[in-house]
Amino acid sequence: MIFIDACFKKPTDYTPIWIMRQAGRYMPEYRALRAEVGSFLDLCKSVKHATEVTLQPINYLNVDAAILFSDILTLPNAMGLDLSFEANKGPVFANPVQNEKDLLKLKNNAFKDMQYVYDTVQSVRGKLDKSKALIGFAGSPWTVATYMVEGSGTKTFYNIKQKLYTDPSFMHKLLEILTEQTKFYLEEQIKAGADAIMIFDSWANALPYEDYYEFSFKYMLEISNYLKEKYPHIALILFPKGVSSFLPQINGNFDVVGIDWSISLEYARDTLSHKYTLQGNMDPSKIHSKETIDEAVERIVDIMKGKSHIFNFGHGIMPTAKPELVKYLVEQVHKKSGIASR
Ligand code: CP3
């Protein structure tokens, strides 16, 4: 699998590519199935449909890896938080976690109630071509905690930051619970057949630089140490979004660092490439036209020439992206990086 070779810094004939949120609303096939099934959560929980949606972008785009179709919030949902996805509002928890009493109500071993996820992993792996990797994933404890405490997406992170600064022991208790459950949740995905695991810290940039290690990165390291010790052959990707000043401190037992679109790729390469494969970091907005794509591909392939690299966007694809331009992007990355590697 070229994707796994790149994760482990082995030489590849061209740069592998996949797209964050590659299964989703920009694809007419996804919208049709989503309308048929009804709710997003029902789609995640149906093994048959989640398998189909996971495979849609593989067949259409010819990317080098599939990512399990699910969400980072299914774990807290299994822990007892009532989750819905509302149009124009995104995810909402009806009963957010507000105090120590709420922590006691969280279900232990919730990962055991997520058999539908493991069944989907197994079903996708069975159908996926042997040359393509399957990525399993979870949210970082910090990023998942932001939704559990705020009850929805937030621009200010006001509630969780009040907790963090006035009651750090509460925050650490919640983060520890999530860390434990996430370890086992990801382990089950590996046992079901995932070839790689990605941990999304999408709200890393809500934390000030001086608090990032203590309230987020430390917990991601705990998860990666646990997984790497037991499953060293499984590639591990961390995606700490929007924390460029933290790059020099990134260190630990994992293989790939996801670089978001706001970071200078030259700087990330010079700071991290001796140790890690980099994944990223095209601005998803540059999918606008063939010209903007050509320019972005040439630039990124040129910067990463001779280094281990997985091409991706620096965050999720937008629902407005044109599928045929995404397909064009994949072709161009394969073609231009293939020439560059010769
Ligand atoms: O193709 C893939 O990448 C796999 C599936 C995937 C989804 N969510 C499907 C989804 C993955 C890996 C995620 C991760 C996720 N979910 C993250 C981390 C990645 C990131 O983008 O930062 C976060 C923060 C979430 C939480 C979440 N789920 C939000 C904020 C939203 C609403 C956003 C929006 O665009 O409306 C979701 C819903 C969601 N997750 C959708 C999909 C395809 C849209 C659901 C729909 O069909 O309406």
Side-chain angles (χ1 to χ4, degrees):
M1 290 178 212
I2 185 169
F3 173 86
I4 298 295
D5 285 347
C7 289
F8 289 120
K9 283 179 153 279
K10 292 186 187 153
T12 58
D13 290 341
Y14 55 89
T15 303
I17 171 170
W18 69 282
I19 309 280
M20 259 189 265
R21 297 277 190 106
Q22 63 192 10
R25 285 165 297 186
Y26 76 100
M27 288 190 88
E29 299 91 321
Y30 171 85
R31 291 197 301 272
L33 197 63
R34 168 88 159 72
E36 190 191 312
V37 175
S39 88
F40 169 68
L41 261 187
D42 286 342
L43 189 53
C44 293
K45 291 181 181 179
S46 151
V47 175
K48 177 172 171 270
H49 293 125
T51 301
E52 194 179 328
V53 174
T54 305
L55 293 171
Q56 279 171 351
I58 309 302
N59 301 333
Y60 179 69
L61 299 174
N62 192 30
V63 280
D64 300 289
I67 181 160
L68 162 74
F69 188 80
S70 189
D71 200 80
I72 63 166
L73 302 179
T74 50
L75 180 62
N77 179 226
M79 291 165 84
L81 296 199
D82 185 9
L83 175 63
S84 59
F85 287 83
E86 295 174 15
N88 305 321
K89 201 166 177 223
V92 175
F93 284 122
N95 48 341
V97 174
Q98 279 157 349
N99 49 44
E100 305 252 345
K101 259 199 202 146
D102 293 335
L103 293 183
L104 295 174
K105 287 186 229 151
L106 295 175
K107 196 162 186 275
N108 291 323
N109 294 330
F111 75 96
K112 288 188 180 161
D113 297 333
M114 303 183 74
Q115 192 57 42
Y116 67 90
V117 171
Y118 319 133
D119 289 346
T120 303
V121 170
Q122 194 180 9
S123 142
V124 172
R125 191 55 275 179
K127 292 192 163 78
L128 192 62
D129 191 277
K130 298 229 174 338
S131 66
K132 315 254 183 204
L134 173 57
I135 306 169
F137 72 91
S140 74
W142 162 254
T143 289
V144 173
T146 64
Y147 288 97
M148 292 173 81
V149 172
E150 296 283 346
S152 66
T154 166
K155 283 203 171 81
T156 60
F157 298 88
Y158 181 80
N159 296 304
I160 194 162
K161 288 178 135 185
Q162 290 310 307
K163 281 285 176 208
L164 194 152
Y165 296 129
T166 61
D167 194 358
S169 119
F170 165 86
M171 266 321 299
H172 282 301
K173 277 183 198 153
L174 174 56
L175 294 167
E176 274 158 27
I177 292 170
L178 282 167
T179 300
E180 278 308 291
Q181 301 239 11
T182 304
K183 277 183 201 169
F184 302 133
Y185 176 50
L186 291 174
E187 179 167 21
E188 290 304 315
Q189 294 184 36
I190 292 171
K191 286 190 198 158
D195 306 294
I197 292 291
M198 176 150 166
I199 304 176
F200 288 92
D201 198 8
S202 303
W203 300 123
N205 64 352
L207 284 167
Y209 169 80
E210 65 275 17
D211 293 318
Y212 182 61
Y213 182 85
E214 193 56 22
F215 287 93
S216 187
F217 201 70
K218 178 174 97 177
Y219 292 103
M220 291 205 284
L221 287 183
E222 217 178 299
I223 298 166
S224 61
N225 284 337
Y226 176 80
L227 296 176
K228 269 290 166 188
E229 199 163 301
K230 287 182 104 168
Y231 309 96
H233 59 292
I234 298 297
L236 211 57
I237 310 166
L238 300 193
F239 179 54
K241 185 176 179 290
V243 287
S244 52
S245 58
F246 190 76
L247 255 47
Q249 268 99 297
I250 288 185
N251 192 20
N253 200 1
F254 45 87
D255 309 290
V256 183
V257 181
I259 305 296
D260 73 82
W261 56 265
S262 72
I263 294 179
S264 149
L265 192 58
E266 288 97 330
Y267 173 65
R269 176 198 63 197
D270 296 345
T271 313
L272 294 168
S273 267
H274 61 288
K275 217 164 161 197
Y276 300 106
T277 295
L278 301 189
Q279 175 175 280
N281 77 341
M282 179 171 150
D283 183 344
S285 299
K286 290 192 180 171
I287 200 76
H288 183 69
S289 68
K290 285 192 174 176
E291 289 71 33
T292 53
I293 293 169
D294 286 344
E295 189 231 11
V297 171
E298 257 163 52
R299 201 185 134 261
I300 291 175
V301 166
D302 188 46
I303 292 171
M304 292 309 294
K305 199 172 170 179
K307 307 281 183 200
S308 294
H309 180 221
I310 296 160
F311 203 105
N312 204 322
F313 282 160
H315 199 198
I317 189 168
M318 287 181 283
T320 47
K322 289 198 180 77
E324 59 276 17
L325 286 176
V326 188
K327 197 179 161 91
Y328 177 77
L329 168 70
V330 175
E331 283 164 7
Q332 291 308 304
V333 168
H334 283 159
K335 197 169 126 197
K336 287 186 179 148
S337 65
I339 294 164
S341 74
R342 265 181 231 137

